[in-house]
Amino acid sequence: MKYKTSVKNWEGLAQNDALWSILTDKSKKGEKWNPEDFFKSGQTEVDAAMDILLKNNVEVSKKDVAIDFGCGAGRLSRALTNHFDKVIGVDASETMVDIARKGNEDLKESLSFELNEKGDLSFLPSKSVSFALSFIVLQHIPFPQSLGFVSEFVRVLEKDGIAMFQVPVLDVRKLSSWQRFKSFVRIKERLALIGIGKGFQMDMHILTEDQIKEVVVAQNGRIEKSFFSNQTLPDYNGDLKVYPTETEACGYISKIFVIRKN
Ligand SMILES: C[S@@+](CC[C@H](N)C(=O)[O-])C[C@H]1O[C@@H](n2cnc3c(N)ncnc32)[C@H](O)[C@@H]1O
C-alpha cells in the first residue's frame, strides 16, 4: 500500500468508528467505547510504560516537551500530560485530530494536537523534544516512511531525550505452516473486525532491528533497551505487557524500542 493510501484509509477508519479503530476490542464495535473507559486505558498504558522505564533504570531526565506520534483521539497524549510540561499529539487523520481536540479541551494549556499528513516531522525543529512516544502506529505505516519516522523521532530529540516506540520486527506467519494457519484464522478475525468490507484497511508492516539501529545511529542516538510486547494482539486494549523473550502476538513479534539521543 502506498503512503497516501494508508493515510486515506485512516481517515476512513476514523470517520467510521474512531475509538474502535484505535482499540479493536470486539465488544466495543459500533461506537460502543465509553470515552471514560477509553481514556482510562491510556492512563493505564502510559503509567505501565513509565514503570517499565523506571524498573529498567532508564532515566527520563528531561520533562519539557513530549510528542505522541499517531495520537488518534489523544488517549496516550492526555495521560502523558501527567509526566511532561507540554504534550503535542500528532496524527495524519483530520477526523482523529478533531476528536482529540474536542475530547481534551480541558487540558488545552498543556496539550495540543497537530495534523500532519506528511511522511516526516519537518514541522518540528531538531532537538526540540524531550520524549517521543508511539504505540500501535508504526505497524500501520508503509516502508520507507515508517523507518523515516524512527529517524525523525531521534532527530527531534534533545540531548539525553528518549524515544519509546513499538513496532513488529518479525512476521512469524512466514516461518511455519502451523503458525501460518493459526495466524491466518486470527488475522481474518481482525480484518473482519476492522471493517475491511467497508473499503478501509489496516495493513501491518514490520521493521527489522537492523534497520532501526542503522537510522538511530545515523541520527546520533543509541538503542538503550528493547522489550517484547503484546501490542500486536487483535483485541489489544491498552493492557501493556512486556516480556524478556520473544513472544508471538497474532503472527507478529512486537517490540518496544527505547532510544536515547547522545
Ligand atoms: C491504532 S491507532 C493508535 C492511536 C494511539 N497511538 C493510541 O494508542 O491510542 C493508529 C493511529 O495512527 C494514525 N496514523 C496512521 N498513519 C499515520 C501517519 N502516517 N502519520 C501520523 N499518524 C498516523 C492513525 O490515524 C491512528 O490515529
Side-chain angles (χ1 to χ4, degrees):
M1 187 188 287
K2 291 219 172 82
Y3 185 71
K4 275 193 175 162
T5 315
S6 104
V7 168
K8 273 197 193 140
N9 261 305
W10 272 98
E11 178 53 21
L13 287 161
Q15 288 179 14
N16 207 30
D17 193 347
L19 302 193
W20 181 75
S21 70
I22 292 167
L23 293 181
T24 53
D25 180 327
K26 268 189 219 169
S27 65
K28 312 290 184 194
K29 191 173 183 206
E31 302 186 334
K32 289 207 189 91
W33 264 112
N34 167 331
E36 206 177 303
D37 294 342
F38 179 83
F39 283 108
K40 209 163 144 196
S41 77
Q43 187 65 62
T44 308
E45 189 166 352
V46 165
D47 287 350
M50 291 300 162
D51 202 42
I52 289 164
L53 295 180
L54 192 70
K55 287 197 173 123
N56 288 280
N57 304 315
V58 178
E59 200 194 347
V60 184
S61 49
K62 306 277 170 79
K63 307 264 187 182
D64 309 335
V65 179
I67 59 164
D68 174 19
F69 177 72
C71 62
R75 192 178 67 93
L76 304 174
S77 327
R78 186 177 177 85
L80 281 171
T81 60
N82 292 328
H83 300 271
F84 298 91
D85 297 343
K86 195 169 173 253
V87 178
I88 307 168
V90 183
D91 205 281
S93 153
E94 197 171 350
T95 299
M96 287 293 189
V97 170
D98 275 356
I99 294 171
R101 284 188 181 134
K102 283 181 190 134
N104 295 287
E105 263 201 318
D106 55 321
L107 292 177
K108 67 175 182 241
E109 297 300 311
S110 53
L111 176 56
S112 62
F113 294 96
E114 194 76 33
L115 175 66
N116 183 54
E117 293 168 317
K118 285 191 185 170
D120 60 44
L121 296 176
S122 50
F123 76 96
L124 285 169
S126 300
K127 302 181 187 170
S128 60
V129 164
S130 322
F131 190 80
L133 182 80
S134 188
F135 283 168
I136 56 173
V137 176
L138 292 174
Q139 60 191 27
H140 299 308
I141 298 181
F143 186 84
Q145 285 84 0
S146 53
L147 189 60
F149 280 119
V150 172
S151 169
E152 285 288 79
F153 296 160
V154 191
R155 177 186 68 77
V156 300
L157 284 181
E158 59 185 318
K159 183 175 163 28
D160 283 332
I162 295 281
M164 185 179 200
F165 61 87
Q166 168 271 340
V167 70
V169 289
L170 187 67
D171 182 350
V172 295
R173 294 169 309 151
K174 296 193 174 114
L175 301 183
S176 80
S177 49
W178 169 238
Q179 277 165 327
R180 248 200 326 268
F181 173 72
K182 268 199 319 187
S183 66
F184 170 73
V185 173
R186 293 169 80 187
I187 283 189
K188 266 195 88 148
E189 193 182 315
R190 176 166 173 83
L191 292 181
L193 269 172
I194 59 183
I196 198 164
K198 297 197 174 92
F200 309 120
Q201 290 183 37
M202 216 186 265
D203 276 13
M204 292 292 279
H205 305 274
I206 66 162
L207 286 177
T208 69
E209 209 156 332
D210 285 347
Q211 287 173 319
I212 291 168
K213 194 169 178 190
E214 195 180 330
V215 298
V216 165
V217 169
Q219 285 290 355
N220 196 21
R222 60 182 191 275
I223 299 178
E224 195 157 301
K225 298 272 174 193
S226 64
F227 310 94
F228 295 101
S229 85
N230 61 341
Q231 289 157 304
T232 49
L233 284 171
D235 49 0
Y236 179 69
N237 63 4
D239 179 21
L240 174 62
K241 300 260 183 302
V242 292
Y243 312 102
T245 53
E246 206 166 279
T247 306
E248 188 244 312
C250 193
Y252 295 95
I253 304 294
S254 168
K255 246 186 153 178
I256 291 178
F257 290 89
V258 179
I259 311 296
R260 190 177 294 275
K261 182 80 170 262
N262 296 320

